[in-house]
Amino acid sequence: SKNHNHTRRYDVHQDNENRGLFVFYEIWQSRDLWQQHMNAPHLAAYMAATEGAVSSFVLNEMARIA
């Protein structure tokens, strides 16, 4: 989340045409910290609570190249 102390950057974008489409862009201090976040109980609770409410969830892990 935006208030997480291990993120260097946290941006949320909303599509101009499809107002229900959001993109979250996060840069973490390290992959290990990101993995800890992804395995945290609060994230599992969020995923369970929103199951069926989100039509598509795509996660792309990327590496900066320039």
Side-chain angles (χ1 to χ4, degrees):
S1 76
K2 187 175 186 173
N3 295 324
H4 202 286
N5 14 342
H6 299 298
T7 53
R8 292 183 182 166
R9 183 175 185 131
Y10 179 90
D11 297 332
V12 180
H13 300 267
Q14 184 178 34
D15 189 88
N16 291 333
E17 300 294 323
N18 179 357
R19 303 307 281 174
L21 176 63
F22 297 89
V23 173
F24 296 81
Y25 180 81
E26 302 175 356
I27 298 176
W28 284 77
Q29 290 181 13
S30 72
R31 187 175 191 280
D32 287 340
L33 290 170
W34 174 68
Q35 287 292 304
Q36 289 174 27
H37 170 73
M38 293 303 292
N39 293 313
H42 74 277
L43 191 56
Y46 165 79
M47 297 299 282
T50 59
E51 187 173 350
V54 177
S55 63
S56 175
F57 181 86
V58 178
L59 178 71
N60 294 318
E61 183 178 352
M62 305 177 84
R64 184 174 180 177
I65 60 171

